[in-house]
Amino acid sequence: MTDSIEIARLDDVEKTYILGGARIEALVDINLPIRTGRFTVISGPSGSGKTTLLNIVGCIDRPTRGEVRIAGRPTNGFVDDELADFRAHSVGFIFQNFNLLPVLTCAENVEYPLLLVGTDREQRRRRVEELLDAVGLRTHAAHFPAQLSGGQRQRVAIARALANKPKLVIADEPTANLDSRTGASIIALMRDMQQREKTTFIFSSHDPYVISQADDAVHVHDGRIVDRHLK
């Protein structure tokens, strides 16, 4: 595959941790193209390497060996400031525990990534209104996270992840803390926003329903890719 149809590519990637003198191989021989504009799930049991893999794709962590390319750019040689700038402009994140700032309103949480990259006030206002309207929370703009349900908090987190129109959105177990009905609605919203924003989603899950909604499914076990299905 070429870069024009791949948003990310991992070649011969390994990640090893040394903990208390023990060598932990979190990822082994990972070769993975992630197709542009797709809804890709990484599945596997707890401790299989799902989160480590997402962290490397999202430039939160670095591989021990191998090459990582995001949007056609090799990221291995980036210094920390370059990685932070690249994440701010090109990657959005959705977390299992929402990770909203409790002292900020819904609107301010969505606005925060725009402030980090220097977007002007009027553009910020329009983008925040657009995203809160898209996730069905425009009337909750002035609410604080503590005033929202779990599903509503995750909707705010989705809007925040998309604020800077990233090329790639990464979600680590985005429905794990939600009941099945709310989780299904969040997956439907993620799919809708992925298509509306013309971006790529890659997320982890062990929920069979969530996995069934993906375009591409990658199964990992003991740090290795053991299966891959494409639609």
Coordinates of all heavy atoms in Angstrom, one line a residue, residues 35 38 191 211-217 229-231:
R35 N -5.4 2.0 7.2 CA -6.0 2.6 6.0 C -6.7 4.0 6.3 O -7.4 4.1 7.3 CB -6.9 1.7 5.3 CG -6.2 0.4 4.9 CD -7.1 -0.4 3.9 NE -8.2 -1.0 4.6 CZ -9.2 -1.7 3.9 NH1 -9.1 -1.8 2.6 NH2 -10.2 -2.2 4.6
R38 N -10.7 5.0 7.6 CA -11.4 3.7 8.0 C -11.6 3.8 9.5 O -11.2 4.7 10.3 CB -10.4 2.5 7.8 CG -10.0 2.4 6.3 CD -11.2 2.1 5.4 NE -11.5 0.6 5.5 CZ -12.4 0.1 4.7 NH1 -13.1 0.8 3.9 NH2 -12.7 -1.2 4.8
R191 N -18.7 6.7 14.6 CA -18.8 6.4 13.2 C -19.3 7.6 12.4 O -18.8 7.9 11.3 CB -19.7 5.2 13.0 CG -20.1 4.9 11.5 CD -18.9 4.5 10.7 NE -18.7 3.1 10.7 CZ -17.8 2.5 10.0 NH1 -17.0 3.2 9.2 NH2 -17.6 1.2 10.0
I211 N -16.5 -4.5 18.1 CA -15.6 -5.0 17.0 C -16.4 -5.2 15.7 O -15.9 -5.0 14.6 CB -15.0 -6.4 17.5 CG1 -14.1 -6.1 18.7 CG2 -14.2 -7.1 16.4 CD1 -13.6 -7.3 19.5
S212 N -17.6 -5.6 15.8 CA -18.5 -5.9 14.6 C -18.7 -4.6 13.8 O -19.1 -4.7 12.6 CB -19.8 -6.6 15.0 OG -20.7 -5.6 15.6
Q213 N -18.6 -3.5 14.4 CA -18.9 -2.2 13.8 C -17.7 -1.7 13.0 O -17.8 -0.7 12.3 CB -19.4 -1.2 14.8 CG -20.6 -1.5 15.5 CD -21.8 -1.9 14.6 OE1 -22.2 -1.1 13.8 NE2 -22.2 -3.1 14.7
A214 N -16.5 -2.3 13.1 CA -15.3 -1.8 12.5 C -15.2 -2.1 11.0 O -15.8 -3.1 10.6 CB -14.1 -2.3 13.3
D215 N -14.5 -1.3 10.3 CA -14.1 -1.6 8.9 C -13.0 -2.6 8.9 O -13.1 -3.6 8.2 CB -13.7 -0.4 8.2 CG -14.8 0.7 8.0 OD1 -15.9 0.3 7.7 OD2 -14.5 1.9 8.1
D216 N -12.0 -2.4 9.7 CA -10.8 -3.2 9.8 C -10.7 -3.7 11.2 O -10.8 -2.9 12.2 CB -9.5 -2.5 9.4 CG -9.6 -2.0 7.9 OD1 -10.5 -2.5 7.2 OD2 -8.8 -1.2 7.6
A217 N -10.4 -5.0 11.5 CA -10.3 -5.5 12.8 C -8.9 -6.2 12.9 O -8.6 -7.1 12.1 CB -11.4 -6.5 13.2
H229 N -8.8 -8.7 9.8 CA -9.9 -8.8 8.9 C -10.2 -7.4 8.3 O -10.3 -6.4 9.1 CB -11.2 -9.3 9.6 CG -11.0 -10.7 10.1 ND1 -11.1 -11.8 9.2 CD2 -10.8 -11.2 11.3 CE1 -11.0 -12.9 9.9 NE2 -10.8 -12.6 11.2
L230 N -10.3 -7.3 7.0 CA -10.6 -6.1 6.3 C -12.0 -6.2 5.7 O -12.3 -7.3 5.1 CB -9.6 -5.8 5.2 CG -8.1 -5.8 5.7 CD1 -7.3 -5.5 4.5 CD2 -7.9 -4.8 6.8
K231 N -12.8 -5.1 5.7 CA -14.1 -5.1 5.0 C -13.9 -4.4 3.6 O -13.1 -3.5 3.5 CB -15.1 -4.4 5.8 CG -15.6 -5.2 7.0 CD -16.7 -4.5 7.8 CE -17.1 -5.3 9.0 NZ -18.1 -4.6 9.8

